[in-house]
């Protein structure tokens, strides 16, 4: 027996005290409505309506049931609404990962956007490398993350990618900083300062391949996990880094110059499991793409010149297929 359906019928009849009008409000014929009330009465073993007179009236049992039925139906409505919000990703806990180098202003914009779109969602934000995120997504200890491509992992779905142009970070006192762009071959003899390979193996290997193809084989790769340490190694001399222009803005003694002969882009996107994903994962991915794109304006090639805003840098790999 569908108790809730019969209770809905009962509540309408109880308010109208007229089976014909109640049937019209419910969009059904009167005989099935009468049968529904009779079945409810048999189930509860009471009479709910006094039908002995020309006017239908509630019995004592009917009067007492009316309040309980309305409360039960209201509770059902709240329950369905709650489950709908959970399905839409508007409630619950979302465990999200972001790269360690993510600027504070980007984090703030991301969290503010999530609060606006899903104010009831509790976001647990974790600082994790791409490799850590991929592992935790596979283990289902993370719901969604922001990863640097290329990523070779099965069972993941990716959001809209954002391609950020990269350039060379070097001391402002370096002779190479005097030009508008830096050819990779001109970096011969210098070390590469970069995040350890373990943090994003696909990107690390791709970067080294491009450098070697364009005439720069770094003497060694000097690992740096955080921007401050990276700045220290670059300012110490003997090494340069390949990073977005936004990184250089944190340190006034560091200059950013685009790469002349081998434009590089770093592709970042959200990633989440392709099965049984968190309901809010795709929303996080869409918002993250919007925030990352807005956070990376066209960089300056030199203090007195700027790179056109059209961003003519080619994408050197594609993860959308």
């Amino acid at each position: 027996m569908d108790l809730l359906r019969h209770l809905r019928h009962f509540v309408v009849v109880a308010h109208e005290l007229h089976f014909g009008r109640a049937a019209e409000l419910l969009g059904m014929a009167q005989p099935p409505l009468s049968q529904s009330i009779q079945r409810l009465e048999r189930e509860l073993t009471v009479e709910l309506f006094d039908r002995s007179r020309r006017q239908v009236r509630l019995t004592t049992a009917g009067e007492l049931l009316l309040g309980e039925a309305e409360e039960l139906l209201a509770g059902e409505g709240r329950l369905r609404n709650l489950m709908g919000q959970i399905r839409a990703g508007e409630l619950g806990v979302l465990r999200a990962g972001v790269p360690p180098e993510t600027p504070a202003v980007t984090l703030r914009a991301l969290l503010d956007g999530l609060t606006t779109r899903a104010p009831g969602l509790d976001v647990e934000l974790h600082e994790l490398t791409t490799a850590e995120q991929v592992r935790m997504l596979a283990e289902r200890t993370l719901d969604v993350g922001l990863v640097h491509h290329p990523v070779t992992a099965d069972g993941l779905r990716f959001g809209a990618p954002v391609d950020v142009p990269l350039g060379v970070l070097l001391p402002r006192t370096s002779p190479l900083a005097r030009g508008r762009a830096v050819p990779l071959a001109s970096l011969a003899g210098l070390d590469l300062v970069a995040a350890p390979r373990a943090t994003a193996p696909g990107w690390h290997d791709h970067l080294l391949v491009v450098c070697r193809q364009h005439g720069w084989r770094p003497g060694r790769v000097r690992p740096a996990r955080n921007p401050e340490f990276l700045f220290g190694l670059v300012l110490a001399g003997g090494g340069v880094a390949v990073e977005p222009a936004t990184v250089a803005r944190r340190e006034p003694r560091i200059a950013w110059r685009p790469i002349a002969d081998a434009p590089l882009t770093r592709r970042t996107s959200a990633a989440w499991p392709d099965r049984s994903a968190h309901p809010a994962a795709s929303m996080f991915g869409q918002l993250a793409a919007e925030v990352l794109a807005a956070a990376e304006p066209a960089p300056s090639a030199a203090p007195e010149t700027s790179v056109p805003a059209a961003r003519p840098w080619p994408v050197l790999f594609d993860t959308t297929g």
Side-chain angles (χ1 to χ4, degrees):
M1 174 183 174
D2 188 348
L3 179 61
L4 291 176
R5 180 170 64 88
H6 294 303
L7 286 175
R8 289 191 197 94
H9 295 168
F10 163 74
V11 168
V12 176
V13 176
H15 283 293
E16 293 298 320
L17 293 177
H18 192 284
F19 278 81
R21 289 196 301 269
E24 186 177 348
L25 288 173
L26 289 166
M28 61 189 299
Q30 184 173 334
L33 176 60
S34 298
Q35 294 169 9
S36 176
I37 299 301
Q38 292 170 3
R39 185 171 181 181
L40 180 61
E41 289 177 323
R42 288 196 301 270
E43 181 71 20
L44 301 178
T45 64
V46 294
E47 288 188 359
L48 300 173
F49 295 97
D50 181 359
R51 303 173 179 83
S52 62
R53 305 177 184 180
R54 295 182 63 182
Q55 183 179 2
V56 176
R57 293 184 178 181
L58 286 169
T59 63
T60 300
E63 291 175 351
L64 293 174
L65 177 63
L66 179 58
E68 296 293 334
E70 289 177 327
E71 185 176 341
L72 181 61
L73 292 173
E76 182 212 15
R78 291 192 297 269
L79 180 62
R80 290 183 181 276
N81 181 62
L82 179 65
M83 294 301 103
Q85 288 181 289
I86 293 175
R87 286 195 303 273
E90 298 173 358
L91 290 177
V93 178
L94 178 69
R95 301 165 299 180
V98 296
E101 71 275 10
T102 306
V105 65
T106 301
L107 292 176
R108 175 63 184 273
L110 184 58
L111 290 173
D112 286 349
L114 288 169
T115 299
T116 299
R117 298 189 185 190
L121 187 65
D122 182 12
V123 182
E124 291 183 0
L125 212 54
H126 302 273
E127 182 185 43
L128 299 166
T129 66
T130 291
E132 291 170 334
Q133 292 183 52
V134 170
R135 174 179 57 79
M136 293 177 66
L137 288 169
E139 295 171 351
R140 298 305 179 95
T141 55
L142 193 70
D143 298 313
V144 65
L146 286 179
V147 298
H148 297 319
H149 294 276
V151 173
T152 55
D154 297 327
L156 291 181
R157 183 180 303 175
F158 298 101
V162 175
D163 297 314
V164 177
L166 303 181
V168 178
L169 299 187
L170 62 166
R172 286 195 176 276
T173 56
S174 169
L176 292 172
R178 298 171 188 167
R180 297 179 57 182
V182 176
L184 285 178
S186 68
L187 302 176
L190 296 175
D191 295 336
L192 172 64
V193 181
R197 183 182 185 277
T199 63
W203 166 249
H204 188 277
D205 294 345
H206 171 76
L207 175 60
L208 288 179
V209 167
V210 173
C211 290
R212 291 164 183 162
Q213 287 175 343
H214 291 81
W216 178 33
R217 187 177 295 270
R220 57 175 174 162
V221 179
R222 304 168 70 176
R225 291 183 63 93
N226 64 76
E228 293 303 320
F229 190 66
L230 180 145
F231 294 151
L233 292 179
V234 171
L235 290 171
V240 298
V242 178
E243 296 287 342
T246 51
V247 176
R249 296 172 192 157
R250 306 184 192 184
E251 172 53 66
R253 294 171 294 175
I254 293 288
W256 183 92
R257 295 294 180 267
I259 300 170
D261 52 350
L264 269 168
T265 61
R266 182 164 65 191
R267 170 163 289 186
T268 303
S269 80
W272 61 90
D274 61 1
R275 294 184 179 181
S276 302
H278 192 287
S282 59
M283 176 187 67
F284 179 93
Q286 179 182 357
L287 176 62
E290 295 172 5
V291 170
L292 290 176
E296 191 63 38
S300 296
E304 66 279 1
T305 60
S306 61
V307 176
R311 288 191 189 176
W313 299 275
V315 175
L316 300 183
F317 45 80
D318 190 1
T319 61
T320 59

